Amino acid sequence: MTQYILALDQGTTSSRAIVFDRQGRIRRTAQKEFPQLFPRPGWVEHDPQEIWSTQIGVAQEAISGAGLKASDLAAIGITNQRETVVVWDRATGEPVYNAIVWQDRRTAPLCDTLKAQGHEDLIRERTGLLIDAYFSGTKIGWILDHVPGARARAERGELACGTIDSWLVYRLTGGALHITDASNASRTLLFNIHTGAWDDDLLALLNVPRALLPEVRASSEVYGETAEGLLGARVKIAGMAGDQQAATFGQVCLERGMAKNTYGTGCFMLMNTAGEVVESRNRLLSTVVWQLGAGAQAQRTYALEGSVFVAGAVVQWLRDGLGIIRHASEVEALAGSVPDSGGVFLVPAFVGLGAPYWDPYARGTMVGLTRGTTSAHIARAALDSVAFQAAELLDAMEQDSGARLTELRVDGGASGNNLMMQFQADILGVTVTRPQVTETTALGAAFLAGLAVGFWSGTDELRTLWKADRSFEPGLDADRRAHLLGRWRRAVERSRAWAEAEQD
């Protein structure tokens, strides 16, 4: 009897593969970074072939490293960086251009035009999203308009496009499947989250031919099998979800009002709103968090989401940009060598600000510097900035949902930083709980795949597999919390519209 699930976790800076056992424990992990391409200021690209080669490489490494064969796997689940998009030739599988990454801002002027033309209400109502360069739709249009002949080829049905899940499934199946799941589709500006289908009005508005798009499937079902010869045996592909939705499932936030925050390159907080699309009054997103079942039996679960573009990436900046640490692991000790940030506030708006501001022209700002400021104060301010951004998201979510959160479940690389997690609890005034398995993005993909093939009996069994590692209790009085948040918001205001002013 097959005893394992393989999760493919294709992220912004690396590809990972993790083998999970029946208890949801990690048997083996393999990971490989790949190059980040920055052809112009504000542009971020990846080589799709690098994404594929690193992902299949770590898959093979994880299987063999665990002492397994592909035939020991019950299924494969896929989770991915979400809004990043690829356009490729259906016949050859060759990309026509690099993948345009979710962080890329090149289509911000087009988004400004769409807003000025009054399309924001339509897009918000149909998709639950705001008009922003973050999402996939305008990126697809840019590729079609800037690669010679691409638009004509797309309209003839010669090209395919998709988010990274689609690209991986296409390659894993040897070109047999061109599909996505509802959670990834809901991040494109092209998908109607109420009907669960591509929206003709939005396709026309963004000038994206329907022939380009993948078939939308459930997040948990058997889609097909890996191509012959790829892994040594054919394995069912049975689960797909965007990284943040997968992390929500992996944290078993299965009831309305439960919330998680993932600290990765960016920072993403999702609150389960069950079968209701909650329209945000605070510029949060309403998104499909997963879909179970298909056709008339399809059950879509929704969430409110707040997206912070720079979280863990601020630590990379301390390392690679400022050079004040040599390894990311050093930041906690450096920041902990001072009692607080010494009045320094760092707003890491390196690629603009996400929720609740949605300001693509904001830029990184540091205020409160004095002659006494040291690298330790800057490191402390960098960690604090992640927690401050999360606090603004939670405040907006509570206002929109009418629910007061009592616990925030956390995961992702930076959730292992005890100093940051304690400050997160302090500034939220809410218990912060870290699970034993913090690779919840991959775990969620494994759970979705495992449910589809009967590896796990149902969501009740999944609840028993989730175990807490540590809880952080808030220890800051309300007046001090309000003071710090007020200072943070003043710092944010100083970062806003900077690039736009510069262009003027």
Side-chain angles (χ1 to χ4, degrees), residues 278-356:
V278 174
E279 187 171 333
S280 174
R281 300 180 303 278
N282 294 285
R283 296 174 65 76
L284 300 179
L285 309 177
S286 303
T287 196
V288 176
V289 68
W290 52 76
Q291 179 181 313
L292 304 181
Q297 279 71 50
Q299 289 186 310
R300 280 183 298 281
T301 297
Y302 301 96
L304 278 171
E305 175 177 331
S307 310
V308 167
F309 295 154
V310 173
V314 76
V315 178
Q316 293 175 319
W317 175 72
L318 294 178
R319 180 192 67 192
D320 303 334
L322 291 189
I324 64 175
I325 53 174
R326 288 175 299 172
H327 304 286
S329 58
E330 297 172 4
V331 71
E332 185 171 2
L334 178 60
S337 68
V338 290
D340 54 42
S341 69
V344 176
F345 287 80
L346 169 60
V347 183
F350 305 135
V351 291
L353 286 170

Side-chain angles (χ1 to χ4, degrees), residues 398-414:
E398 290 183 336
Q399 290 182 42
D400 284 338
S401 67
R404 171 68 180 161
L405 198 71
T406 56
E407 177 194 51
L408 180 68
R409 294 186 172 184
V410 298
D411 54 71

Side-chain angles (χ1 to χ4, degrees), residues 419-448:
L419 184 71
M420 184 195 293
M421 291 302 99
Q422 183 57 58
F423 186 70
Q424 185 69 88
D426 289 341
I427 207 66
L428 290 177
V430 167
T431 301
V432 168
T433 303
R434 183 173 64 209
Q436 290 179 3
V437 176
T438 56
E439 299 293 352
T440 51
T441 301
L443 183 60
F447 280 169
L448 289 164

Side-chain angles (χ1 to χ4, degrees), residues 203-283:
L203 295 177
L205 179 63
L206 296 185
N207 202 13
V208 174
R210 180 179 277 273
L212 265 181
L213 297 172
E215 178 189 359
V216 181
R217 303 282 285 270
S219 308
S220 178
E221 66 170 288
V222 177
Y223 311 111
E225 294 182 333
T226 56
E228 198 73 52
L230 195 62
L231 295 173
R234 301 191 75 171
V235 184
K236 292 182 175 69
I237 304 168
M240 281 196 299
D243 51 11
Q244 302 314 317
Q245 290 98 326
T248 308
F249 203 77
Q251 287 274 32
V252 292
C253 291
L254 305 179
E255 278 82 44
R256 182 185 178 94
M258 295 183 72
K260 71 89 201 175
N261 199 23
T262 296
Y263 302 82
T265 303
C267 181
F268 300 88
M269 188 182 292
L270 276 77
M271 177 183 281
N272 187 324
T273 62
E276 181 188 1
V277 179
V278 174
E279 187 171 333
S280 174
R281 300 180 303 278
N282 294 285
R283 296 174 65 76

Side-chain angles (χ1 to χ4, degrees), residues 55-240:
Q55 190 65 76
I56 192 62
V58 293
Q60 294 163 340
E61 183 185 337
I63 295 167
S64 61
L68 305 176
K69 302 185 298 294
S71 56
D72 295 317
L73 301 175
I76 292 172
I78 296 171
T79 183
N80 54 284
Q81 52 166 320
R82 294 178 298 179
E83 298 80 7
T84 300
V85 74
V86 185
V87 178
W88 67 91
D89 184 297
R90 284 186 185 275
T92 67
E94 285 293 315
V96 303
Y97 189 78
N98 279 336
I100 301 183
V101 179
W102 58 273
Q103 297 165 316
D104 190 280
R105 309 307 299 171
R106 76 187 67 186
T107 61
L110 171 60
C111 293
D112 291 342
T113 299
L114 291 169
K115 290 177 198 172
Q117 291 171 344
H119 297 301
E120 188 134 45
D121 287 346
L122 170 70
I123 285 178
R124 183 60 192 253
E125 194 278 322
R126 302 277 177 93
T127 71
L129 308 177
L130 302 168
I131 298 176
D132 192 82
Y134 174 34
F135 303 109
S136 311
T138 58
K139 303 179 197 300
I140 298 167
W142 189 95
I143 292 173
L144 297 184
D145 290 335
H146 289 81
V147 174
R151 182 166 291 283
R153 294 178 65 203
E155 288 169 353
R156 291 196 298 268
E158 297 172 11
L159 302 182
C161 83
T163 42
I164 298 300
D165 56 314
S166 299
W167 172 240
L168 292 179
V169 171
Y170 179 87
R171 296 302 301 262
L172 284 166
T173 61
L177 287 178
H178 181 214
I179 62 173
T180 189
D181 91 298
S183 74
N184 278 294
S186 75
R187 314 297 295 188
T188 61
L189 294 177
L190 303 170
F191 183 75
N192 189 315
I193 62 174
H194 305 278
T195 64
W198 300 118
D199 189 289
D200 287 327
D201 293 335
L202 300 178
L203 295 177
L205 179 63
L206 296 185
N207 202 13
V208 174
R210 180 179 277 273
L212 265 181
L213 297 172
E215 178 189 359
V216 181
R217 303 282 285 270
S219 308
S220 178
E221 66 170 288
V222 177
Y223 311 111
E225 294 182 333
T226 56
E228 198 73 52
L230 195 62
L231 295 173
R234 301 191 75 171
V235 184
K236 292 182 175 69
I237 304 168
M240 281 196 299

